[in-house]
């Protein structure tokens, strides 16, 4: 069993299946194929990593990459074959898909990958820079259609996920609340973690809340990847710990 980090970018178009959904499907297929060998299923959250929005960078709507980690008994070639086959089946015809695969047990300079990821949030990068970094750090980086521009976001997403301080978890947390914010749920941190499977509740100032702290939840509840944990981000509003607003989540 080995642990892999996989990231894809630039697979969709307006009105087609999104990159996040495709990433989730690949993670599910990999988990199912691995389970055939071991009987164990292992899936992790898909995280969305925001990259620079700039006129020189082609993107569909938000320019973000999707990354996930998986423990698998499959070898590299089996993993890549499943990823590539699904990308080719599901990517939009005008997309420029990129795929990055990193063996987390191999030797690589994590600082170089994190640095590249952080730079892609503030400056325009090139395919040549992406491929040079991939070759130096042992990341398998490949393009699968169009211009292949998605390789830049794919390896950037790997770096940002490795930072442990970036990314929104794909999807919303559903606890029975109305997503229009017209009602509120009250529960303790301990109850929230038990119901969601997240690892922590962390404030916008970086403080980890205690199990007995009380939460006020409303609207769309999103998780983030922060302090190397899948966590609910909260802020203090008039003495209550409330789930983060859309604006507060923008920087993740």
């Amino acid at each position: 069993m080995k642990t892999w980090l996989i990231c894809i970018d630039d697979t969709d178009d307006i009105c087609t299946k999104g990159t996040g959904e495709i990433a989730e499907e690949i993670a599910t297929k990999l988990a199912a194929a691995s389970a055939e060998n071991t009987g164990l299923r292992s899936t992790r959250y898909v995280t969305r990593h925001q990259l620079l929005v700039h006129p020189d960078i082609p993107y569909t709507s938000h320019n973000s990459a999707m990354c996930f980690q998986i423990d698998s008994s499959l070898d590299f070639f089996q993993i890549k074959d499943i990823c590539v086959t699904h990308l080719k089946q599901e990517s939009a015809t005008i997309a420029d898909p990129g795929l990055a695969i990193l063996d987390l047990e191999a030797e690589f300079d994590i600082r170089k990958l994190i640095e590249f990821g952080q730079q892609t949030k503030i400056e325009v990068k090139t395919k040549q820079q992406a491929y040079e970094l991939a070759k130096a750090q042992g990341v398998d980086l490949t393009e699968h259609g169009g211009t292949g521009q998605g390789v830049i976001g794919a390896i950037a997403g790997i770096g940002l996920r490795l930072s442990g301080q970036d990314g929104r978890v794909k999807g919303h947390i559903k606890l029975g609340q109305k997503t229009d914010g017209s009602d509120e749920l009250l529960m303790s941190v301990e109850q929230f973690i038990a119901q969601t499977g997240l690892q922590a509740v962390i404030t916008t100032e970086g403080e980890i809340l205690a199990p007995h702290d009380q939460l006020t939840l409303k609207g769309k509840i999103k998780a983030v990847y922060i302090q190397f944990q899948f966590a609910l981000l909260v802020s203090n509003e008039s003495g209550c710990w409330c789930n983060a607003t859309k604006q507060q989540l923008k920087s993740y």
Side-chain angles (χ1 to χ4, degrees):
M1 187 78 75
K2 295 183 73 173
T3 305
W4 305 85
L5 204 55
I6 298 172
C7 188
I8 62 173
D9 186 31
D10 208 339
T11 70
D12 59 359
D13 189 16
I14 301 295
C15 299
T16 68
K17 185 180 291 185
T19 301
E21 186 174 354
I22 293 174
E24 277 188 334
E25 291 172 347
I26 292 173
T28 300
K29 284 195 169 188
L30 289 172
S34 183
E36 290 178 2
N37 296 339
T38 65
L40 299 173
R41 282 184 175 271
S42 173
T43 56
R44 304 288 181 96
Y45 294 110
V46 172
T47 47
R48 173 192 181 279
H49 300 276
Q50 182 64 52
L51 309 175
L52 177 66
V53 175
H54 187 279
D56 292 341
I57 302 174
Y59 61 91
T60 304
S61 58
H62 298 97
N63 195 29
S64 56
M66 295 288 177
C67 190
F68 62 92
Q69 179 178 318
I70 186 166
D71 300 323
S72 178
S73 62
L74 303 177
D75 64 30
F76 166 76
F77 298 102
Q78 292 171 310
I79 288 173
K80 184 169 182 179
D81 182 61
I82 289 172
C83 293
V84 172
T85 299
H86 198 72
L87 273 180
K88 289 183 175 179
Q89 286 175 348
E90 301 298 334
S91 294
T93 53
I94 67 166
D96 310 309
L99 167 68
I101 304 175
L102 175 64
D103 176 358
L104 287 175
E105 296 169 23
E107 289 189 11
F108 57 86
D109 188 337
I110 188 172
R111 296 169 303 173
K112 296 289 186 185
L113 290 169
I114 292 174
E115 181 181 50
F116 185 87
Q118 292 173 336
Q119 288 172 345
T120 59
K121 296 173 85 71
I122 57 175
E123 62 184 67
V124 178
K125 291 292 188 181
T126 67
K127 281 175 60 177
Q128 181 179 346
Q129 290 172 313
Y131 277 122
E132 287 175 353
L133 177 67
K135 183 178 180 181
Q137 301 306 327
V139 178
D140 186 79
L141 186 64
T142 50
E143 53 191 78
H144 301 281
T147 66
Q149 196 76 7
V151 294
I152 300 170
I155 194 168
I158 291 279
L160 290 169
R161 177 73 175 247
L162 285 171
S163 77
Q165 295 284 359
D166 190 276
R168 275 178 264 168
V169 176
K170 183 185 176 301
H172 302 125
I173 297 169
K174 298 175 182 175
L175 297 170
Q177 81 283 8
K178 295 178 181 175
T179 56
D180 62 3
S182 60
D183 63 349
E184 294 182 347
L185 295 177
L186 305 178
M187 64 178 64
S188 68
V189 169
E190 184 176 31
Q191 290 171 323
F192 177 81
I193 289 175
Q195 290 189 36
T196 63
L198 292 180
Q199 296 168 293
V201 176
I202 300 177
T203 73
T204 50
E205 285 72 41
E207 177 190 357
I208 298 176
L209 294 190
H212 63 266
D213 284 322
Q214 295 296 308
L215 303 173
T216 300
L217 308 173
K218 58 185 176 181
K220 291 183 178 179
I221 303 171
K222 296 279 294 181
V224 298
Y225 191 52
I226 182 175
Q227 299 184 24
F228 295 94
Q229 298 183 86
F230 296 103
L232 175 71
L233 189 69
V234 296
S235 62
N236 197 300
E237 295 182 17
S238 303
C240 299
W241 290 114
C242 301
N243 52 299
T245 64
K246 187 176 181 180
Q247 188 63 32
Q248 290 169 323
L249 289 166
K250 268 191 172 180
S251 59
Y252 291 89

